[in-house]
Amino acid sequence: MLNEQEYAQIISERFEHLRNKKVLIYGTGIIAKRFIHSLSGFRIRGIVDRLHFGGEFEGVPIVLWDEIGPEDADVVIIASARKNYKVIYQRILDKCILYNIDIYGESGLNLKEYFGWRFFNIDDSRYFRKNERELKQLISQYDAVSFDLFDTLIMRKTLEPADVFDIVEDRIQKKGIQIPRFKIMRREAELQAKGANLYKIYEILGKQAGLTKKQEKIVMETELACEKCVLLPRKKMIEIFEYARSLGKKVSIISDMYLTEELLGELLEEMHIRGYDKIYVSCDYGVSKGNGLFERYLKDNKNMSCLHIGDNPMADVQAPLRYGIDSYGIKSAFEMMKISNFVNIMPWVNHCNEKNLLGLVLAEVFNNPFALYDTAGVVRVDSFEKIGKIFAASLAAIYILELISYLEKEKDYQKVIFGARDGYIFMKIYDKFREKYGKNRELPEPVYLLVSRKLCIRAGMKTGNDVGILKIYGNSDRPETTLTGILGIPEERTVPYDQESYADVLDYYNVHQEEILDRSRIVRQRYKKYLEHCGLDLNQKYLFCDFISQGTILHLLNQIFYKPMDGFFLSRYIVQKPFPIHAESIYVDLCHGGTILFEKHCFLETIFSSPEPSVEDMDENDKPIFSNEIRTEEEIKNMCIEQEGIEKFFWDYYENLWVDGKKIKKELPEALVYLCDELEYVGECCDVRKMKLYNDLDNDYRDTLQK
């Protein structure tokens, strides 16, 4: 073995080309210690470690990988044994790709060159062959079956276990208890407790944070409450658990955990998981799965053939084998994501709200550990509720939360108007939010307004200049159909279009200007009466909310309202001559094609719509006239199921996972939408790719997904 001086010289020469780079060291073991001492004079910005979240190591601050940004590092050097390179490389690759951070091993290997961006893993390939039938057949061969608990029988909606601590910190702050960087302190207290239970962890944490016994109790109870809110059963594994019981097997639960058997029993009871023989939990026995817990289990199951099922390759697959217990490995939702086509979303996930949002999606997609059976990693979608949760719910979340933030700063609006039909589900969520949480926020009352481009074009023509909008939406080949179809002018009051008789189609429309403006005046008067019925005062200031728009409807409504409305759009696409409106927008698309949302807007509109057809006119009694419904009853029912999924997702996310003060990166919902063409639709969703969206202005149908 090289002495320290020889080792330092070799390391210094090996990495001389990185001397002026911003360096992160991954690891806190013996290799990392020697390595850091060898890089004297290098710009080491911090230590990253999977177990330690804070403090220092060899005089260098330990930093959270979650909080590393694009300006914080040029290179990560893995200071670990070479056999660990691949696992760590996979763990950090996505962020390093996103931020153009190089990755080296302590041996000097450039790991991006050595491994590539993705690499084939035989174990991952084998996982695609694992299925429920196989496991049930295996269970039938044993006398006793034990299950791991977390990520096996139950799972969290967070992306990783420690993400719960971000939620706890937010909740205790609202109770008046301030523990800066709680996540780090809580994790360090757990490490210092060395496998002891939660009570010991909080005894250590309480001393470190200077808490009173009362505060210590409040924080611990808050953590337990947060755990309960983010936990859910893995339904397929519960079915297999019950199957083992139905065969008369002796069924137990074995867990490396700081929650005692009593506390775990309460959690399981709340999820209706019953009938197990015993819970073996590491903190009660003072040993983990790797150093004695399975041995304790065997004492209670002498002369029985045993099978253990769990997700951790070391603790649940390899450790049981050392004690003569056969094992069967499944993957957690997080690990399943890594071997699926969802893996490309990881670069857009950084802080807790983004991680929790993706975690909630994965809890839906990969709740079943066999969801990737025979898929080669292509995720299958088998329910319309999942379609709503995977593709649309994150958009609803970012839109509603950004809207509320905007309204808390801008106090001038008397009401918030959600336009039909795409504002339907946004209106429902906002209205419920205001009812539950709006008292202290002074959020304005919402109004759901029947609007459409056709109706607003009919009602918004006030001067000859407004006729020009027909060049955008009219039929340039047969402009007479624009007059009859879009404007509703009787055919007998139009003249046939003869291309040789007019300079252009606008010239043709101007010939009919008097008819157009007269017709618009009638519709506008009727529509104003409808607006009054909705409780709207045309002299008041309102905010108009829309889904994906270039601003046509807002512009035309402002021809009707005496005080122009502002807009708040999810996505606005900007044309060469944009309408003169003032509108905030989360996404901006320049000239139709700059965003994924514009590309997929037809698909999204089949989800974000209302059960009623589009409004197109007003009758003589000032009542709306709707277009003929071209959707089938089945399509409308499925859309309502998708929207139920959106609502469930939003409230679960906001009430159980959301942390105040951290905005969701807009690229994350967009990346989820992008997947809509990349997944396989099966079961009740098998005909999704055949769906088309009807465009009432152009009188045509558009594909919603790639075939």
Side-chain angles (χ1 to χ4, degrees):
M1 183 177 178
L2 297 172
N3 64 40
E4 295 305 314
Q5 186 175 354
E6 291 171 331
Y7 178 81
Q9 183 175 349
I10 290 172
I11 292 298
S12 180
E13 292 175 357
R14 183 179 291 168
F15 292 100
E16 179 61 31
H17 63 293
L18 301 178
R19 181 174 290 274
N20 295 319
K21 301 288 187 180
K22 291 175 284 188
V23 177
L24 292 175
I25 307 297
Y26 196 108
T28 54
I30 295 173
I31 293 175
K33 181 177 180 180
R34 297 183 75 200
F35 190 78
I36 291 166
H37 292 169
S38 301
L39 293 182
S40 176
F42 282 67
R43 299 172 65 190
I44 301 177
R45 304 298 292 268
I47 305 297
V48 180
D49 188 73
R50 195 179 189 189
L51 296 177
H52 297 272
F53 291 175
E56 291 187 347
F57 180 75
E58 299 302 309
V60 181
I62 297 174
V63 296
L64 272 175
W65 181 245
D66 291 356
E67 296 179 356
I68 297 298
E71 305 300 322
D72 295 328
D74 300 312
V75 60
V76 176
I77 303 176
I78 299 174
S80 174
R82 187 163 176 162
K83 66 180 181 180
N84 298 325
Y85 285 179
K86 182 186 284 189
V87 172
I88 298 172
Y89 179 77
Q90 285 181 297
R91 192 177 297 152
I92 65 176
L93 177 61
D94 291 300
K95 179 174 283 192
C96 291
I97 290 173
L98 180 65
Y99 295 155
N100 195 30
I101 299 172
D102 287 324
I103 309 173
Y104 284 82
E106 179 260 2
S107 62
L109 273 177
N110 182 323
L111 297 183
K112 280 188 177 178
E113 294 177 359
Y114 184 73
F115 288 128
W117 283 20
R118 304 281 175 224
F119 46 83
F120 179 76
N121 187 316
I122 189 65
D123 291 331
D124 294 344
S125 179
R126 287 172 179 155
Y127 195 75
F128 299 137
R129 299 202 296 269
K130 291 197 171 187
N131 59 77
E132 173 188 1
R133 183 181 66 256
E134 171 188 81
L135 180 53
K136 285 184 174 179
Q137 288 175 348
L138 194 62
I139 286 172
S140 67
Q141 302 170 26
Y142 293 85
D143 302 319
V145 181
S146 58
F147 292 82
D148 170 49
L149 186 54
F150 288 87
D151 289 321
T152 300
L153 288 178
I154 63 178
M155 64 181 294
R156 295 179 177 92
K157 301 167 190 172
T158 56
L159 193 61
E160 297 182 279
D163 297 334
V164 176
F165 302 147
D166 293 306
I167 305 170
V168 175
E169 181 175 356
D170 179 70
R171 304 305 189 259
I172 60 174
Q173 283 179 353
K174 291 172 180 175
K175 295 177 181 179
I177 300 175
Q178 303 292 326
I179 307 179
R181 300 182 72 77
F182 170 81
K183 185 176 188 176
I184 294 172
M185 293 189 70
R186 168 62 179 77
R187 180 58 180 156
E188 289 302 311
E190 183 181 331
L191 291 172
Q192 290 179 36
K194 296 180 180 179
N197 62 32
L198 188 68
Y199 303 105
K200 179 63 176 178
I201 292 171
Y202 267 90
E203 182 182 320
I204 295 170
L205 177 65
K207 291 177 181 177
Q208 292 177 341
L211 301 177
T212 64
K213 285 297 179 182
K214 182 179 179 181
Q215 289 174 324
E216 186 181 307
K217 184 172 184 290
I218 291 172
V219 179
M220 186 177 72
E221 289 175 347
T222 302
E223 178 178 328
L224 287 170
C226 289
E227 279 281 17
K228 289 178 181 179
C229 287
V230 304
L231 286 172
L232 75 161
R234 294 191 87 173
K235 295 177 183 177
K236 184 57 65 180
M237 291 307 298
I238 299 302
E239 287 179 22
I240 291 171
F241 172 89
E242 294 295 343
Y243 174 77
R245 290 184 59 231
S246 73
L247 295 181
K249 309 300 180 183
K250 188 176 182 182
V251 178
S252 303
I253 295 172
I254 305 178
S255 178
D256 281 343
M257 190 57 179
Y258 46 76
L259 298 180
T260 64
E261 179 182 352
E262 180 183 1
L263 292 173
L264 288 179
E266 292 174 5
L267 290 176
L268 293 173
E269 179 62 31
E270 288 195 12
M271 287 184 278
H272 308 290
I273 300 173
R274 308 180 180 107
Y276 47 85
D277 180 68
K278 192 172 182 179
I279 299 177
Y280 297 84
V281 58
S282 59
C283 68
D284 287 345
Y285 290 92
V287 288
S288 67
K289 292 174 184 174
N291 66 3
L293 193 57
F294 282 116
E295 186 176 4
R296 182 66 185 83
Y297 166 74
L298 283 176
K299 288 181 180 179
D300 295 336
N301 296 276
K302 291 179 180 178
N303 302 319
M304 299 182 78
S305 58
C306 301
L307 173 70
H308 180 71
I309 303 164
D311 73 290
N312 189 296
M314 299 296 293
D316 294 311
V317 178
Q318 294 184 28
L321 298 176
R322 297 201 299 269
Y323 295 94
I325 299 172
D326 288 339
S327 61
Y328 186 92
I330 62 169
K331 286 186 181 292
S332 67
F334 187 41
E335 293 302 318
M336 290 177 73
M337 176 202 66
K338 291 180 180 179
I339 63 171
S340 77
N341 53 345
F342 266 70
V343 70
N344 296 320
I345 294 175
M346 277 304 294
W348 306 114
V349 175
N350 199 10
H351 62 65
C352 59
N353 282 340
E354 293 161 355
K355 294 179 74 179
N356 291 344
L357 188 142
L358 180 56
L360 189 54
V361 171
L362 298 186
E364 187 69 32
V365 177
F366 299 123
N367 184 275
N368 181 354
F370 306 115
L372 293 176
Y373 170 61
D374 200 25
T375 66
V378 177
V379 169
R380 292 178 176 137
V381 181
D382 58 3
S383 77
F384 285 97
E385 184 173 320
K386 281 186 181 178
I387 287 178
K389 289 180 175 179
I390 295 170
F391 304 120
S394 58
L395 286 174
I398 194 172
Y399 182 73
I400 293 296
L401 294 171
E402 289 279 357
L403 172 62
I404 289 164
S405 177
Y406 177 78
L407 290 170
E408 287 178 329
K409 290 181 287 187
E410 303 293 334
K411 302 290 188 180
D412 296 336
Y413 303 112
Q414 299 300 311
K415 293 181 181 180
V416 181
I417 297 175
F418 292 87
R421 293 184 297 168
D422 300 339
Y424 177 75
I425 187 65
F426 295 127
M427 158 69 183
K428 289 179 68 176
I429 295 173
Y430 175 86
D431 193 32
K432 185 175 177 180
F433 188 99
R434 181 174 176 270
E435 180 184 331
K436 295 182 75 171
Y437 304 106
K439 290 181 181 178
N440 298 327
R441 299 172 183 257
E442 299 180 355
L443 297 174
E445 176 188 345
V447 175
Y448 181 67
L449 190 66
L450 292 174
V451 294
S452 70
R453 288 180 301 173
K454 181 179 284 189
L455 174 61
C456 289
I457 289 172
R458 289 185 179 186
M461 302 286 185
K462 296 179 73 173
T463 69
N465 291 333
D466 297 325
V467 175
I469 198 173
L470 297 177
K471 287 191 69 175
I472 301 173
Y473 294 110
N475 187 328
S476 58
D477 295 326
R478 296 188 60 205
E480 60 265 47
T481 63
T482 301
L483 299 180
T484 56
I486 294 181
L487 296 176
I489 296 173
E491 188 174 348
E492 62 271 16
R493 296 172 69 177
T494 67
V495 298
Y497 176 66
D498 179 1
Q499 191 171 0
E500 295 181 359
S501 303
Y502 302 97
D504 57 19
V505 291
L506 184 57
D507 188 23
Y508 173 78
Y509 293 142
N510 284 330
V511 167
H512 295 82
Q513 186 179 120
E514 186 175 345
E515 293 287 347
I516 292 171
L517 297 181
D518 284 345
R519 170 67 180 148
S520 185
R521 191 177 304 111
I522 293 169
V523 178
R524 186 163 56 254
Q525 289 171 349
R526 293 173 177 176
Y527 193 59
K528 284 182 177 180
K529 294 284 183 65
Y530 164 74
L531 294 174
E532 292 175 7
H533 292 323
C534 292
L536 296 174
D537 182 341
L538 303 185
N539 290 293
Q540 294 293 333
K541 184 72 171 178
Y542 301 121
L543 181 68
F544 180 75
C545 295
D546 207 351
F547 178 49
I548 297 177
S549 174
Q550 65 173 307
T552 308
I553 289 177
L554 178 56
H555 168 68
L556 292 169
L557 285 175
N558 283 344
Q559 303 284 78
I560 300 170
F561 282 79
Y562 303 137
K563 184 171 284 189
M565 291 187 286
D566 295 335
F568 193 90
F569 301 162
L570 177 68
S571 180
R572 182 183 181 188
Y573 52 94
I574 309 295
V575 294
Q576 289 183 343
K577 294 182 179 179
F579 293 111
I581 59 171
H582 177 264
E584 299 289 329
S585 184
I586 298 172
Y587 299 91
V588 176
D589 183 306
L590 299 176
C591 298
H592 300 196
T595 68
I596 292 167
L597 295 193
F598 181 78
E599 291 178 22
K600 310 300 181 187
H601 78 275
C602 290
F603 172 66
L604 292 169
E605 284 188 32
T606 65
I607 303 173
F608 290 106
S609 192
S610 67
E612 61 193 6
S614 180
V615 64
E616 64 176 35
D617 211 334
M618 306 297 295
D619 66 17
E620 60 275 9
N621 296 315
D622 311 321
K623 302 293 183 183
I625 299 173
F626 293 94
S627 303
N628 293 328
E629 181 59 81
I630 54 89
R631 298 171 297 180
T632 66
E633 289 185 9
E634 187 72 13
E635 287 174 337
I636 295 173
K637 184 190 81 170
N638 292 337
M639 180 197 69
C640 291
I641 294 171
E642 290 168 340
Q643 293 182 1
E644 288 172 9
I646 293 171
E647 289 190 82
K648 288 178 185 176
F649 185 101
F650 177 85
W651 292 112
D652 197 357
Y653 179 63
Y654 181 74
E655 295 182 334
N656 297 322
L657 298 165
W658 173 258
V659 171
D660 284 343
K662 292 184 180 290
K663 295 175 65 173
I664 305 168
K665 191 186 287 107
K666 66 181 182 180
E667 288 85 359
L668 176 55
E670 203 172 26
L672 287 166
V673 172
Y674 181 78
L675 284 171
C676 68
D677 281 328
E678 308 297 320
L679 307 187
E680 182 181 358
Y681 298 91
V682 298
E684 66 181 43
C685 302
C686 62
D687 290 332
V688 163
R689 292 192 186 277
K690 298 178 182 178
M691 290 178 60
K692 293 181 179 291
L693 180 71
Y694 179 69
N695 185 320
D696 60 345
L697 284 184
D698 296 335
N699 194 31
D700 65 0
Y701 291 86
R702 298 176 182 177
D703 290 334
T704 59
L705 291 176
Q706 293 177 9
K707 298 297 177 66

